[in-house]
């Protein structure tokens, strides 16, 4: 069984006939498998490759440079870099490093003023200045695509196209993470 690939471009373009077809495809995929791939999401390949290259440049920096945007500097917004072993899964340090970003919210945003976790400004590295516009453009385009996909889900359920945006996703918490899994210098062999 293969996951279906659904073209969501009509949902992004506001094409009524194409949106109805995309909604039917989403309904079929969700009812049969529960998952699907999308194409026509509006995120340019150049944005993805540029972001990948900038991320790799960041992760290649010396640890002291990366630490200038450490998560400890991000506060309640939960933004910034963490080193290999800085996160855990099931109580074990992960073999990854990463950077957390989120929606850019100023200090005057009511959620920031109220001290809501995961809300605030991101911390971007000065040493890789191109990362900021690439991350923000990706988050914008991905959010737009997600809203379009949820419009398709709404339609697939026989609901108004804006049902989820009006009721659940009008002001979502937007987070984005980039991880790097460095090669393990001494892999475990399982031998004693």
């Amino acid at each position: 069984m293969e996951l279906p690939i659904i073209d969501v471009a009509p949902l992004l373009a506001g094409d009524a006939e194409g949106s109805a077809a995309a909604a039917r495809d989403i309904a079929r995929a969700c009812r049969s498998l529960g998952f699907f791939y999308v194409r026509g999401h509006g995120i340019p390949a150049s944005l993805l490759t540029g972001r990948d290259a900038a991320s790799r440049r960041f992760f290649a920096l010396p640890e002291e440079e990366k630490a200038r945007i450490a998560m400890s500097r991000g506060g309640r917004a939960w933004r910034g870099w963490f080193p290999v072993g800085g996160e855990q899964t099931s109580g074990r340090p992960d073999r990854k490093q990463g950077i957390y970003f989120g929606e850019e919210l100023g200090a005057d945003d009511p959620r920031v003023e109220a001290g809501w976790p995961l809300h605030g400004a991101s911390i971007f590295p000065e040493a890789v200045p191109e990362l900021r516009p690439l991350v923000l453009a990706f988050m914008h385009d991905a959010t737009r695509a997600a809203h379009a996909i949820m419009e398709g889900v709404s339609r697939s359920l026989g609901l108004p196209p804006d049902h989820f945006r009006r009721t659940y996703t009008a002001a979502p918490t937007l987070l984005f993470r980039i991880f790097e899994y460095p090669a393990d210098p001494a892999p475990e062999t399982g031998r004693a």
Side-chain angles (χ1 to χ4, degrees), residues 58-59 61-64 66-72 80-88 92-100 178-182:
F58 173 78
F59 289 127
L61 292 172
E63 196 154 305
E64 309 79 55
K66 292 182 283 193
R68 294 178 73 186
I69 63 163
M71 286 190 74
S72 60
W81 170 77
F82 66 87
V84 173
E87 285 197 328
Q88 296 187 4
R92 295 183 60 195
D94 287 338
R95 288 245 351 115
K96 71 175 186 270
Q97 64 177 319
I99 318 170
Y100 282 75
I178 301 174
F179 296 140
E180 184 211 39
Y181 294 83

Side-chain angles (χ1 to χ4, degrees), residues 150-176:
M150 291 309 297
E151 177 185 315
V153 171
S154 290
R155 290 172 179 267
S156 79
L157 296 169
L159 298 169
D162 66 344
H163 174 75
F164 288 105
R165 189 177 281 216
R166 257 187 316 102
T167 58
Y168 299 104
T169 64
T173 300
L174 301 176
L175 299 174
F176 175 59

Side-chain angles (χ1 to χ4, degrees), residues 2-186:
E2 291 184 18
L3 288 178
I5 302 170
I6 300 172
D7 186 359
V8 298
L11 292 162
L12 285 163
D15 169 7
E17 187 176 319
S19 292
R24 285 191 298 274
D25 291 344
I26 289 171
R28 193 169 23 261
C30 289
R31 288 186 174 106
S32 64
L33 297 170
F35 297 94
F36 56 91
Y37 291 110
V38 299
R39 71 172 176 233
H41 46 68
I43 303 172
S46 59
L47 178 57
L48 299 174
T49 57
R51 192 201 63 222
D52 179 63
S55 300
R56 290 175 188 274
R57 280 192 295 282
F58 173 78
F59 289 127
L61 292 172
E63 196 154 305
E64 309 79 55
E65 183 65 32
K66 292 182 283 193
R68 294 178 73 186
I69 63 163
M71 286 190 74
S72 60
R73 297 171 189 247
R76 293 181 63 83
W78 199 253
R79 311 283 206 267
W81 170 77
F82 66 87
V84 173
E87 285 197 328
Q88 296 187 4
T89 301
S90 300
R92 295 183 60 195
D94 287 338
R95 288 245 351 115
K96 71 175 186 270
Q97 64 177 319
I99 318 170
Y100 282 75
F101 302 103
E103 181 179 12
E104 287 293 275
L105 301 173
D108 60 342
D109 184 281
R111 296 166 290 180
V112 176
E113 287 179 339
W116 285 20
L118 308 178
H119 290 76
S122 293
I123 308 170
F124 290 95
E126 290 179 17
V128 186
E130 67 274 21
L131 192 57
R132 178 186 178 95
L134 291 165
V135 164
L136 295 178
F138 173 78
M139 288 182 63
H140 174 271
D141 290 356
T143 301
R144 183 172 176 256
H147 281 301
I149 293 165
M150 291 309 297
E151 177 185 315
V153 171
S154 290
R155 290 172 179 267
S156 79
L157 296 169
L159 298 169
D162 66 344
H163 174 75
F164 288 105
R165 189 177 281 216
R166 257 187 316 102
T167 58
Y168 299 104
T169 64
T173 300
L174 301 176
L175 299 174
F176 175 59
R177 305 174 298 179
I178 301 174
F179 296 140
E180 184 211 39
Y181 294 83
D184 190 346

